[in-house]
Amino acid sequence: MCTFGTEGAKSSIRTAARGLEIDDDIASYLTTLIPNERGQDWSLQQCYYGDEEHTPIKSFIEAMNKEPLLWKVASKIENLVTRLGCHASGVLALNDKIWKNNGIMKTSKGILVTAFELEDTEQLGGVKYDYLTVQALDKIRTCLNWMLEDEVIEWQGSLKSTYNKYIHPDVINKTEPSMYDSLYNREIPSCFQFDTPVGNQAVQLIHPSSLLELATGNSVMRLMSSDGGELPLNTYAKFKSNINLWYKEMKEAGLNENEQHILEKYLLPLYGVADSQEVMMLLSMDSNISGFTIGEANILRKAVAKKKKDVLEKGKNLFYEKGINLGTSMNMLDYVWNVQIMRQAGYSFSVIHTTAYSYIALQEMNLSYFYPSIYWKTACLSVDAGAVNEEDYYNLINSGIINIVDDEDKREQNKVQYGKIAAAISKLKDIIKIELPDINLARFGFTPDVEHNSILFGLKGISRVGDNIINEIILNRPYKSLQDFVNKMITKDGKKIISKDKIVNLIKAGAFDRLENKSREQILTEYIKTIADQKEKLNLQNYAMLIKHNLLSNELDFNNRVYNFTKYIRKFKFKNLYLLDEIAQEFYYNYFDATKIKIISENGINQFGIEQLYWDSIYNSYMNKPRQYIKDNQSELLTKLNNILFKAEYDKYCKGDILRWELDSLGFYHSNHPFYKLNQQIRNNLGVEISSVSDLKEDEFDGLWTIKGKQVPKYKLRTIAGTIIDKDKTKGTITLSCCDGVVTIKIYKELYALLDREIAEEDDEGNINLIEESFLEKGCFLLVTGILKGENFVPKVYKNTGFNAIYKICVNSYGDLDYLLKKE
């Protein structure tokens, strides 16, 4: 089913301001003047003109009158359709051909959707169903797969039977106090609906200890205050801690003891907070309150569920009318409507909704608490990182543990998303140890190591190591040593299965740490020695190499020139002659017998040459001295040359320290983070305060600006520092790894193009040299100042801030802060 995105009040102002090139701070200020009522922003018309339910906002009108063109454009584009979307789970059910009741079209991705929105479709006889899958289900299935493979649980012949035996709502534990304590103590990650900031807050405030309290928590954390006062979540937590406070609230509302007893029936189990649509219906249907019929109560429920204000207003009038006719006191009616029902006026869940959600949370809590928690944590990490073990899924199939029913059960390998992996690891690193990949144990994705209570990083997360190579690695296990691995990675006909650069990446990733039981630096050094061109004996065949690296005595300078001259002219032979071009002629005439030059004519062109036998004899006589020198200094030259050859190979593959190796091979830092040191150096040397990821908050203000005579809230700027681990040029984003978390930076198009710009030129020798490098390459260190907008950090500075929004942090050879680089 399709969805249509429209310009809302706030987005209309922002869009119009950008088009009119009006200061962003003015637009931001105007959006802060738009009230949010029960989860919905007022429209521009309501803010400016008001309506039956809304009074015009004086400050908004005054601000808009100072920007008449902005008002004209914004008010015209509000509610215009700006984009076509595809509903995440909406499926249209019809009895007839779709074209008889609807229209169809395709999205930009080629997905077939309806041409009408939901309400129009329903008016034409269609029924919409939501078939929604969530990551929670993927995590549960992945966790079950791991436990099946390790025989912690037994396959029951089908997924449904296995589900029914172990995690069906009828069989899971719903009452274990210690399990609820684990949730409260944040020992159960990614608990469904409670893994968001507000969900975590709900758990900490109410400390749920039953299914009912979980379900209530799922409800109250979504409710809003009816009058801008205390949030229902806080009220619930307060009343749960001291139920007498609820009775005090009712007494202050003027309710007598009998009226309080009437409400106890519905609200005492909920600690005095009507959390669901059903409770609202029951309150309205009570003959001691307003005596609604079930039909009337359902209309009230739908008014809340669908946010229909006109229907809700009619429901309110009927509620008071019927209550007064029943003789209900006005205090009772006011308390039930204004305090209890209006908590839900913006949005509330039904009991079946919250209970179903809470059962999923309980299933996850059971998997984490009653089984080795490493399975659940690995499943969470795998799904959050987009790195579900497809191959491990097939292991279960091959072992006969599970069966493929149809083609929809087949899994596809996805592109590795290094930013997503790093973010998922950052989320879990404080509660579980994540081990580097082990060449003998690691699989495609993350693997639970029950014995050590840790998670093993997967081979697919290692850069430059593709699926085919991983299959070969798994097929040829076990390995006794790195050399054994190298030997096994060669086919019977002598062809290498894996190139040396990929072996280097495996070493950098720590894949041989356990096997070799040595430091990674030592493992890498020893391997480079085996692939570097190490000489065992030197002779004249190595002369060019010795000359190149300036390892010969100055006494041999002319011999070196003769050697290079000979090497040059041997490229040009004609019959029995070495041909001499102008360069060669100049050298020969200066030092040798000119009478030996032969002149030959070819196609009317004269060429010069010397007889090969003649010159070879001269060459050999000049090489006697170098031969003897190499022989006399064999040991010293051998050591120096091999050191040079090793260093060249090492520098080619192993630049940087162990942290750089981990970033290059894994996409995240495992051993440490370079910005633990750099952040402090930036503070000390530059006086810039670096914020942690946890410091970032949306709509954080710091004083006021005066712009065109108006007081405009000033956004508080935060500065963060970290390493680029991924980027998406299409979306204009980069992923920054900071000390305490991973942040997505959203960069506007023009700035992104500037920062990503590279300028190169070719020198006289044909070498390409970079004059200007991109700031947005993986591994670059950035200092970014800006504000949090939604889930993204947006670079932003003011005109009088005194510095740019983004700098590249340059470090010296010791990894210490050197200087900041900006682009103009």
Side-chain angles (χ1 to χ4, degrees), residues 500-546:
K500 57 187 177 182
D501 64 311
K502 293 177 174 58
I503 296 176
V504 167
N505 258 30
L506 286 167
I507 297 172
K508 286 180 176 180
F512 296 95
D513 285 6
R514 287 187 189 178
L515 184 63
E516 290 288 327
N517 195 26
K518 300 173 183 174
S519 71
R520 217 169 310 161
E521 294 91 338
Q522 188 177 352
I523 298 170
L524 199 50
T525 297
E526 291 176 357
Y527 176 69
I528 295 298
K529 285 182 178 178
T530 67
I531 63 173
D533 185 16
Q534 298 289 277
K535 307 299 181 184
E536 295 181 1
K537 186 177 181 180
L538 298 178
N539 52 41
L540 201 60
Q541 291 181 342
N542 310 113
Y543 196 39
M545 195 175 291
L546 295 171

Side-chain angles (χ1 to χ4, degrees), residues 425-664:
I425 290 173
S426 175
K427 187 177 174 183
L428 274 181
K429 67 180 182 179
D430 292 333
I431 63 171
I432 193 67
K433 186 176 183 181
I434 298 170
E435 301 279 5
L436 294 172
D438 185 302
I439 200 67
N440 276 324
L441 299 175
R443 298 184 181 178
F444 271 74
F446 297 102
T447 311
D449 185 343
V450 181
E451 182 181 353
H452 298 95
N453 192 36
S454 61
I455 299 174
L456 198 62
F457 194 87
L459 294 173
K460 190 169 182 179
I462 303 174
S463 63
R464 302 189 186 93
V465 180
D467 293 357
N468 293 335
I469 291 175
I470 296 173
N471 284 322
E472 290 291 340
I473 290 173
I474 295 173
L475 183 66
N476 288 284
R477 285 171 173 167
Y479 305 104
K480 298 176 182 178
S481 64
L482 172 57
Q483 189 56 52
D484 182 42
F485 171 82
V486 174
N487 295 339
K488 287 181 176 179
M489 289 293 106
I490 299 176
T491 61
K492 292 181 180 179
D493 59 358
K495 186 178 179 180
K496 290 183 179 179
I497 296 172
I498 182 171
S499 59
K500 57 187 177 182
D501 64 311
K502 293 177 174 58
I503 296 176
V504 167
N505 258 30
L506 286 167
I507 297 172
K508 286 180 176 180
F512 296 95
D513 285 6
R514 287 187 189 178
L515 184 63
E516 290 288 327
N517 195 26
K518 300 173 183 174
S519 71
R520 217 169 310 161
E521 294 91 338
Q522 188 177 352
I523 298 170
L524 199 50
T525 297
E526 291 176 357
Y527 176 69
I528 295 298
K529 285 182 178 178
T530 67
I531 63 173
D533 185 16
Q534 298 289 277
K535 307 299 181 184
E536 295 181 1
K537 186 177 181 180
L538 298 178
N539 52 41
L540 201 60
Q541 291 181 342
N542 310 113
Y543 196 39
M545 195 175 291
L546 295 171
I547 295 173
K548 177 183 176 182
H549 296 296
N550 197 28
L551 295 178
L552 299 170
S553 168
N554 294 336
E555 297 175 0
L556 297 175
D557 284 352
F558 189 74
N559 304 74
N560 299 345
R561 295 183 68 185
V562 171
Y563 175 87
N564 289 329
F565 172 78
T566 305
K567 187 178 179 181
Y568 180 77
I569 65 173
R570 281 177 173 172
K571 297 176 184 177
F572 312 104
K573 296 179 181 179
F574 181 77
K575 295 182 179 180
N576 64 337
L577 298 176
Y578 292 128
L579 299 180
L580 305 179
D581 60 14
E582 291 182 359
I583 297 173
Q585 289 176 45
E586 181 179 358
F587 178 78
Y588 184 86
Y589 282 130
N590 286 337
Y591 300 106
F592 297 100
D593 187 355
T595 63
K596 298 295 185 180
I597 295 289
K598 306 291 185 181
I599 301 175
I600 57 174
S601 181
E602 185 75 15
N603 297 324
I605 299 175
N606 291 333
Q607 296 191 69
F608 300 86
I610 51 175
E611 291 183 354
Q612 293 180 18
L613 288 177
Y614 165 74
W615 179 255
D616 287 344
S617 65
I618 293 176
Y619 169 75
N620 286 328
S621 66
Y622 273 96
M623 290 301 102
N624 288 330
K625 188 174 181 181
R627 285 192 188 96
Q628 189 61 44
Y629 182 86
I630 294 172
K631 183 178 180 181
D632 293 342
N633 298 277
Q634 180 77 198
S635 178
E636 181 184 353
L637 291 174
L638 197 59
T639 300
K640 288 181 178 180
L641 181 59
N642 281 337
N643 286 339
I644 290 171
L645 295 175
F646 167 78
K647 188 176 184 305
E649 199 75 5
Y650 190 89
D651 290 345
K652 180 179 179 181
Y653 293 108
C654 310
K655 284 184 177 178
D657 57 11
I658 194 169
L659 293 180
R660 181 68 202 201
W661 297 347
E662 289 174 350
L663 184 66
D664 288 343

